[in-house]
Amino acid sequence: MKTYSHFSLKYGILSPEELVDWALEAGYESVCLTDINSTGAVMAFVRAAQRKGIKPIVGAELCNGNVLKATVIAKNNRGLHELNVFISQYLHHNVPFPDELPHLGSCIIFYPLTFKRRTLKENEYFQISSSMLLNCAWQFPELPKNKIAALDLMIFRSKRDFNIHRLLRAIHLNCLLSMLPVDQQAAETALLISREHWEIAYRDFPDYLNKTKELFGQCQVHFSFGEEAKPQNPATYTGSKTEDEQL
């Protein structure tokens, strides 16, 4: 599973802290945050997860407009740095993300099932949602089954959350709510469901779910906060307080 926070501007609903609280109540051992073209919520998300004792999985969904290109998840802190550098290059120059991503050695890349290249690299996979399970076998028979992972998008707690999402989308597009295109909003079925119900959805396709759990098990992003955090600003200019005073 993957989620959006309200750092997916004019799309997501919940704060990073609320997502962590929901994941705990829903019985998950880890929770994956992949905001749209952004890692802005990562620090707050990781802080909340570490405090509550749940494993944070972090990354981003790379989208051109409303077209998903890939979901990228960091294996570790280095992977998060790789992802940040990659996203920044494209956003700062206002250019679209490519169909095929470059090598991100400390990340796991999930492409949509429609991705044209069928021979994937070691850290590349196809992502599937439970709503696509029945059609996948005949629509994409050539996909290697060991390269498919369950990655359902979960955003809403209720109908109220979905309605708020639609209002945000209408504001973003500057259109009447009644004129909001279907392809410019998330599916109403993108609900935050419990771990039990998520696993039930894949009971006939356990390999996809097990692949996700295996890959999430490889991920470990950690930060120190408060007094444990090392200062990020340099203590001296020259490397020595004495030499600084002599300047």
Side-chain angles (χ1 to χ4, degrees):
M1 49 83 80
K2 58 182 180 180
T3 61
Y4 295 160
S5 76
H6 58 203
F7 278 72
S8 290
L9 301 178
K10 299 183 179 69
Y11 211 104
I13 301 297
L14 302 182
S15 70
E17 294 82 1
E18 287 175 317
L19 287 171
V20 169
D21 290 340
W22 160 77
L24 278 172
E25 294 175 2
Y28 290 96
E29 297 177 354
S30 62
V31 56
C32 178
L33 177 67
T34 56
D35 277 318
I36 301 170
N37 299 344
S38 172
T39 58
V42 164
M43 296 301 287
F45 179 72
V46 172
R47 184 199 296 264
Q50 290 177 183
R51 283 178 174 173
K52 296 295 179 68
I54 189 171
K55 183 178 181 179
I57 310 294
V58 297
E61 269 200 3
L62 305 182
C63 300
N64 294 330
N66 63 329
V67 178
L68 172 66
K69 290 300 178 181
T71 302
V72 183
I73 292 175
K75 289 183 180 180
N76 46 42
N77 290 41
R78 180 178 178 84
L80 182 59
H81 173 72
E82 287 180 352
L83 178 58
N84 284 335
V85 170
F86 176 76
I87 291 177
S88 297
Q89 290 174 343
Y90 283 84
L91 296 185
H92 287 175
H93 292 90
N94 196 29
V95 294
F97 292 108
D99 292 334
E100 184 171 342
L101 304 190
H103 178 67
L104 299 171
S106 296
C107 295
I108 303 173
I109 299 172
F110 299 88
Y111 288 111
L113 296 178
T114 52
F115 182 59
K116 293 182 179 181
R117 178 164 54 83
R118 292 314 195 209
T119 303
L120 300 182
K121 300 173 185 175
E122 183 180 357
N123 67 328
E124 295 177 335
Y125 297 85
F126 293 104
Q127 57 182 304
I128 194 170
S129 64
S130 56
S131 62
M132 303 170 67
L133 290 173
L134 296 179
N135 293 335
C136 181
W138 64 266
Q139 195 170 359
F140 305 100
E142 73 283 4
L143 294 184
K145 299 298 185 293
N146 66 329
K147 279 289 189 177
I148 302 177
L151 214 59
D152 294 75
L153 177 60
M154 303 184 191
I155 310 175
F156 313 121
R157 296 166 299 187
S158 62
K159 175 74 170 180
R160 180 175 181 272
D161 282 354
F162 176 65
N163 289 338
I164 294 173
H165 161 77
R166 295 188 71 242
L167 286 170
L168 291 173
R169 299 304 298 149
I171 292 169
H172 176 66
L173 296 171
N174 192 28
C175 71
L176 294 172
L177 187 61
S178 60
M179 300 296 290
L180 181 64
V182 174
D183 63 356
Q184 291 292 335
Q185 56 186 297
E188 188 175 355
T189 55
L191 295 171
L192 293 161
I193 63 174
S194 69
R195 176 181 176 178
E196 179 183 1
H197 284 90
W198 188 46
E199 291 179 346
I200 288 174
Y202 285 89
R203 60 189 170 192
D204 295 328
F205 302 87
D207 291 345
Y208 301 156
L209 191 62
N210 291 334
K211 177 58 69 175
T212 302
K213 293 178 179 179
E214 173 192 333
L215 295 174
F216 281 10
Q218 300 173 13
C219 300
Q220 185 65 56
V221 171
H222 184 275
F223 293 102
S224 296
F225 298 96
E227 295 181 357
E228 298 179 358
K230 294 181 179 180
Q232 299 298 307
N233 296 325
T236 65
Y237 179 74
T238 61
S240 166
K241 291 184 179 180
T242 301
E243 292 182 9
D244 281 0
E245 291 172 355
Q246 294 174 354
L247 288 177

